[in-house]
Amino acid sequence: MNILIFEKKPIKMKLHRPLTFALSMFVLFSFEIFAQEGYQPTAENLENREWFQDAKYGLFVHWGVYSILGGGGDTSIAEWIMNQKKIPIEQYEKLPGFFNPTAFDPAQWVSMVKKAGMKYITITSKHHDGFAMYDSKISDYNIVDATPYRKDVIGMLKEECDRQGIKLFFYHSQLDWHHPDYYPRGRTGQDYTGRSESGDWDAYIDYMNAQLTELLTQYGEIGGVWFDGLWDKPDADWRLEETYSLIHELQPGALLGSNHHQMPYPGEDFMMFERDLPGENSMGFNNTGISEDVPLEMCETMNGSWGFNIVDQNYKPVKTLIHTMVRAAGYGANFLLNTGPMPNGQIQPENVDTLMAIGQWLETYGESVYGTRSGPVKPAEWGATTRKGNTVYVHVLNHEGGTIEIPGYKPKLKSAIFLDDESEVNIKKTKDGLIISVPKEKLKPVDTVIVLTLK
């Protein structure tokens, strides 16, 4: 057996109050407004919004040193293990010394994403534990300086995404359980961490913006930034005007979103919903409003955890995930499906199997999802509708066969066929709407797709 001996160096936070030159250009004065008031997206940004809405399907990746612990034997969300198990910083800092993902193969990852029918990847550049998964010059607490692996997985993945035509987005946590200047403490990461009860909040925002500057200047053009964690201190002065201006200045085409569970703030380019369809709030923290001004996206897990969890085998059926994707598309929203890679850098085989099955379904039915917008009929128990030009796709998801009544929808139809075999669909127009006849023998195991061509 070969044993790798790795000398762990003390973690140094290289930036507290000083700013990089690139960042200092945007720090002109202290803003009191909450976000980027008066923001006008560039033509490139608007074009990317259209691309985003056409893409419809992406891979969410939660990967970090927390994956080593695999959830700690609990079935709850594994990337929160530092907070859930109340692991002090001094002890948690030992984890990077064990993180050596030698099986990480970015070409394999991106090829899998393409085969699954996905168009983009959103990966954790830094989660709530404060550990950077890229080559940060601002702090040694990163995968290059603090692990035996010593490689920039974000940079490697970005190069492969560029080669294979997949856009890369960065998830970035505004919340930080590790940084000494994240003070006053928020709702999480409090006295167990071992941090002194003091700190400079502005110094922390400077640090966060400096790391964002690195991410926005080291890897070429990116898809966007997916923020999370503002809910930890909702009333704090996050200096969003400054941060949002920084992002839009350095990457005018990048799409910016924040998982703050509210309607979009000025300066945000898309609205997200965590484990809920737009307008729903089964999780108890999502906003039930739906923005009509920016693209929408919902994210979901394959089991119960975002990060790798070795005991959580409660995987959602492929059919359930496809139904969620279709219903999301019915609201005009993208579907961002998550995987938590294992600590060795490989994607769980169970997740790969699920992604391949969804990809196979999309090979036949993708036209009813990609490039579509919300359908003329709001998703209902029986299914959903999507729209593309003068074509409407009716997705029959939960039905035993017979007739489906769609009240209030009275289009002028040119034709109505089943997508699979192009056979004619019997449709009756009434004063109240449409009645679609779906014989039981025509029902498909996952989704019976009917194509309505309008005059």
Side-chain angles (χ1 to χ4, degrees):
M1 177 184 293
N2 293 321
I3 300 176
L4 174 64
I5 300 175
F6 174 66
E7 181 181 356
K8 181 179 182 293
K9 297 180 180 180
I11 303 300
K12 297 179 181 179
M13 306 301 291
K14 295 180 181 176
L15 174 74
H16 288 277
R17 290 166 182 77
L19 297 175
T20 63
F21 175 74
L23 177 59
S24 64
M25 296 189 335
F26 305 102
V27 185
L28 303 178
F29 52 88
S30 177
F31 294 86
E32 294 183 357
I33 55 178
F34 198 57
Q36 194 179 357
E37 298 290 346
Y39 167 62
Q40 293 294 326
T42 63
E44 181 185 5
N45 186 284
L46 294 174
E47 182 179 342
N48 286 342
R49 292 186 189 190
E50 287 296 314
W51 173 90
F52 186 71
Q53 291 180 92
D54 287 344
K56 277 295 179 293
Y57 186 33
L59 181 70
F60 212 177
V61 179
H62 276 71
W63 194 30
V65 294
Y66 45 79
S67 65
I68 297 169
L69 301 178
D74 296 336
T75 56
S76 55
I77 45 181
E79 70 287 350
W80 274 66
I81 194 166
M82 179 179 174
N83 188 75
Q84 290 173 322
K85 297 294 186 181
K86 300 188 183 306
I87 303 173
I89 288 173
E90 184 177 0
Q91 299 303 109
Y92 195 85
E93 282 184 348
K94 295 177 181 178
L95 287 179
F98 298 100
F99 193 63
N100 192 25
T102 55
F104 172 61
D105 185 343
Q108 189 177 63
W109 276 30
V110 179
S111 295
M112 176 199 71
V113 163
K114 293 190 72 172
K115 193 172 181 180
M118 294 166 153
K119 306 301 182 182
Y120 63 99
I121 298 172
T122 302
I123 189 171
T124 47
S125 56
K126 186 196 81 166
H127 207 266
H128 308 329
D129 62 359
F131 187 81
M133 291 291 286
Y134 72 99
D135 186 11
S136 175
K137 304 300 187 295
I138 304 304
S139 167
D140 288 340
Y141 200 47
N142 69 76
I143 192 169
V144 175
D145 292 320
T147 77
Y149 189 62
R150 297 192 180 280
K151 297 178 184 178
D152 184 348
V153 296
I154 296 290
M156 295 162 66
L157 183 61
K158 178 60 165 64
E159 289 180 5
E160 193 57 43
C161 283
D162 289 346
R163 272 192 287 268
Q164 297 198 41
I166 294 294
K167 287 201 177 186
L168 187 65
F169 289 66
F170 296 143
Y171 167 110
H172 201 76
S173 174
Q174 294 160 297
L175 162 61
D176 196 312
W177 298 325
H178 181 267
H179 199 285
D181 282 322
Y182 189 89
Y183 184 85
R185 311 284 176 247
R187 298 172 178 173
T188 62
Q190 298 193 17
D191 54 357
Y192 72 85
T193 61
R195 292 181 290 187
S196 62
E197 289 305 307
S198 64
D200 184 337
W201 176 248
D202 280 328
Y204 171 70
I205 299 298
D206 292 346
Y207 167 81
M208 182 184 72
N209 285 348
Q211 283 205 320
L212 286 167
T213 299
E214 292 178 326
L215 288 165
L216 295 164
T217 57
Q218 292 180 182
Y219 303 107
E221 182 179 330
I222 66 167
V225 177
W226 205 103
F227 276 129
D228 193 18
L230 187 143
W231 39 260
D232 187 60
K233 294 175 62 173
D235 298 325
D237 179 11
W238 288 95
R239 289 162 47 189
L240 293 184
E241 169 79 21
E242 180 183 319
T243 300
Y244 286 11
S245 296
L246 169 69
I247 294 169
H248 288 131
E249 181 69 25
L250 292 177
Q251 296 249 8
L255 304 182
L256 190 163
S258 181
N259 191 35
H260 47 52
H261 312 306
Q262 301 294 326
M263 292 293 284
Y265 299 154
E268 294 172 3
D269 302 300
F270 66 101
M271 182 181 185
M272 59 190 68
F273 299 84
E274 182 179 347
R275 304 189 69 179
D276 264 320
L277 290 166
E280 297 182 4
N281 188 20
S282 65
M283 299 301 295
F285 48 68
N286 279 305
N287 190 287
T288 54
I290 302 176
S291 174
E292 296 181 356
D293 300 321
V294 297
L296 311 175
E297 179 188 73
M298 74 154 295
C299 56
E300 181 59 285
T301 57
M302 290 199 220
N303 53 4
S305 177
W306 299 101
F308 172 63
N309 192 311
I310 200 166
V311 299
D312 184 359
Q313 303 297 304
N314 189 26
Y315 298 107
K316 298 176 181 68
V318 169
K319 180 178 179 179
T320 297
L321 293 173
I322 291 176
H323 281 197
T324 303
M325 176 171 58
V326 168
R327 291 183 186 280
Y331 283 108
N334 287 16
F335 186 50
L336 186 63
L337 183 58
N338 181 78
T339 185
M342 297 184 290
N344 65 356
Q346 292 183 325
I347 308 295
Q348 294 182 71
E350 299 91 342
N351 287 183
V352 175
D353 290 345
T354 294
L355 294 174
M356 293 303 98
I358 296 175
Q360 187 175 16
W361 182 86
L362 283 167
E363 286 181 6
T364 301
Y365 300 99
E367 71 169 75
S368 67
V369 176
Y370 299 126
T372 65
R373 300 294 184 267
S374 58
V377 180
K378 183 179 178 180
E381 178 62 27
W382 60 265
T385 62
T386 54
R387 173 184 54 84
K388 188 188 301 180
N390 67 339
T391 302
V392 171
Y393 298 93
V394 179
H395 299 262
V396 182
L397 304 175
N398 296 312
H399 204 265
E400 296 180 354
T403 58
I404 298 174
E405 296 185 21
I406 305 181
Y409 186 51
K410 304 175 183 179
K412 293 183 178 180
L413 294 177
K414 182 178 180 181
S415 65
I417 61 173
F418 289 101
L419 188 150
D420 291 274
D421 59 9
E422 299 185 352
S423 61
E424 187 176 352
V425 179
N426 184 8
I427 292 184
K428 181 180 179 181
K429 299 174 79 171
T430 71
K431 63 178 182 179
D432 296 321
L434 291 181
I435 297 178
I436 301 177
S437 178
V438 185
K440 192 171 183 177
E441 61 271 18
K442 284 288 188 179
L443 291 175
K444 299 299 176 181
V446 175
D447 180 3
T448 306
V449 182
I450 295 169
V451 184
L452 307 180
T453 303
L454 311 183
K455 292 182 179 179

